[in-house]
Amino acid sequence: METLLDPATLAAYHADGAAVLRGVLPPDWVPRLRAAIDRTLARPTVNGLEFAAPGKGRFYGDYFQWLTDPDVKALVFDSPLPALACQLMGSRQVRFFYDQLLVKEPGTARRTPWHHDIPYWPIRGEQVVSLWVPFDRATPETGVVTYVKGSHRWGQWFRPATFTEQTSYDRIYATGGLPPPPDLHAAAARHDLPTSDVAPPDVIAHHALTIHGAPGNASATQRRRAIALRYCGDDVVWDPRPGTFLESPGLRERLPPVDLKPGDPLDGPLFPRVL
């Protein structure tokens, strides 16, 4: 496989749990995916979610668009991103887990709560990477994702938090006795909270256990459109714990069936091999 990432970037990803991959998305993907995102915003799908309260801007999320949108599917399968994921994970093969659209329009105060990904998901494994692909410039003002360096090695799972306007942790997916994430704002002096200024064709990669969050979009004019692609490697297995996001009402019946037993390698039409 062609070497796409330099050793320093790979080392930073494994040590910190996140890394900015500069200039890795060919520029012709950008207008194509901007158009796909705007189609969805104009006509939200049945999986779409509005995370901000009415009158407080727009923070929109959507899932599994690759199943219905040919441009998102092309990004998942045909862009350089599967090869990047393969190199980051050190995997022999790559399967696709799902895509997630995350849009914060100008003047949206709602922040993305501190969380890490695996507690939301019915999978387990070390080789899970998210590629956060911005289609607008993203800064601390407009809602760039912020990561807690090294938190993927803390050895602790935290309780999933809702992304909706509700700000407490009383609406959760599945507690399993998990504690809430630490109050990183109150303890900022004791945590390394790096932020980045990214723009197409940059991509941010993060490990599925790295704690991250994002501010709202305080800009009056600048949009923040992004798609997160979740790729899995050789060691990922099915772990259908109660309350993960795939158990949310109505979602599973809108997706291809999952014929997997606990501990099975990820497989089947919903989780295609992309490399």
Side-chain angles (χ1 to χ4, degrees):
M1 183 179 69
E2 179 185 358
T3 300
L4 299 171
L5 299 174
D6 62 86
T9 300
L10 284 171
Y13 171 78
H14 289 291
D16 299 338
V20 179
L21 315 179
R22 297 289 185 189
V24 296
L25 187 68
D28 56 319
W29 287 99
V30 177
R32 183 176 177 183
L33 270 297
R34 282 175 175 167
I37 291 169
D38 287 348
R39 286 196 301 269
T40 298
L41 291 170
R43 299 186 65 181
T45 77
V46 292
N47 297 329
L49 296 168
E50 298 285 355
F51 296 128
K56 295 187 177 181
R58 190 178 192 190
F59 179 10
Y60 179 81
D62 215 322
Y63 306 88
F64 293 101
Q65 290 190 282
W66 78 271
L67 292 169
T68 57
D69 190 293
D71 292 317
V72 176
K73 183 176 182 179
L75 181 72
V76 168
F77 282 80
D78 302 331
S79 74
L81 300 181
L84 287 168
C86 188
Q87 191 175 14
L88 288 161
M89 296 185 297
S91 180
R92 295 187 303 275
Q93 66 169 0
V94 178
R95 285 196 176 270
F96 187 62
F97 185 34
Y98 76 102
D99 60 271
Q100 185 173 9
L101 174 63
L102 296 160
V103 175
K104 291 185 180 180
E105 298 288 15
T108 301
R110 177 63 181 161
R111 65 167 292 113
T112 305
W114 295 111
H115 68 286
H116 50 190
D117 297 331
I118 281 287
Y120 294 84
W121 297 344
I123 59 173
R124 285 182 184 265
E126 177 66 23
Q127 293 173 315
V128 186
V129 63
S130 288
L131 300 181
W132 193 85
V133 189
F135 293 98
D136 302 291
R137 184 184 177 197
T139 67
E141 180 190 23
T142 64
V144 72
V145 185
T146 297
Y147 298 90
V148 182
K149 283 187 175 183
S151 54
H152 63 312
R153 299 296 179 227
W154 285 1
Q156 172 69 62
W157 285 25
F158 296 103
R159 183 188 307 170
T162 179
F163 277 35
T164 66
E165 189 69 18
Q166 194 161 338
T167 55
S168 68
Y169 289 103
D170 56 343
R171 286 187 61 197
I172 54 178
Y173 290 81
T175 64
L178 298 176
D183 185 349
L184 296 171
H185 292 294
R190 295 186 284 111
H191 293 278
D192 186 4
L193 304 174
T195 58
S196 299
D197 185 333
V198 297
D202 302 332
V203 171
I204 305 178
H206 72 260
H207 188 281
L209 282 174
T210 304
I211 294 175
H212 56 288
N217 184 352
S219 171
T221 58
Q222 178 64 58
R223 307 177 73 187
R224 198 221 70 176
R225 293 168 289 184
I227 298 177
L229 304 181
R230 327 298 192 166
Y231 290 102
C232 299
D234 306 318
D235 74 342
V236 175
V237 298
W238 186 243
D239 183 26
R241 305 179 307 281
T244 63
F245 88 108
L246 279 182
E247 301 300 326
S248 51
L251 181 58
R252 280 294 292 272
E253 53 259 39
R254 294 195 293 266
L255 299 174
V258 177
D259 186 20
L260 297 173
K261 300 184 297 296
D264 282 350
L266 214 59
D267 199 355
L270 188 56
F271 311 119
R273 181 171 177 174
V274 295
L275 196 68

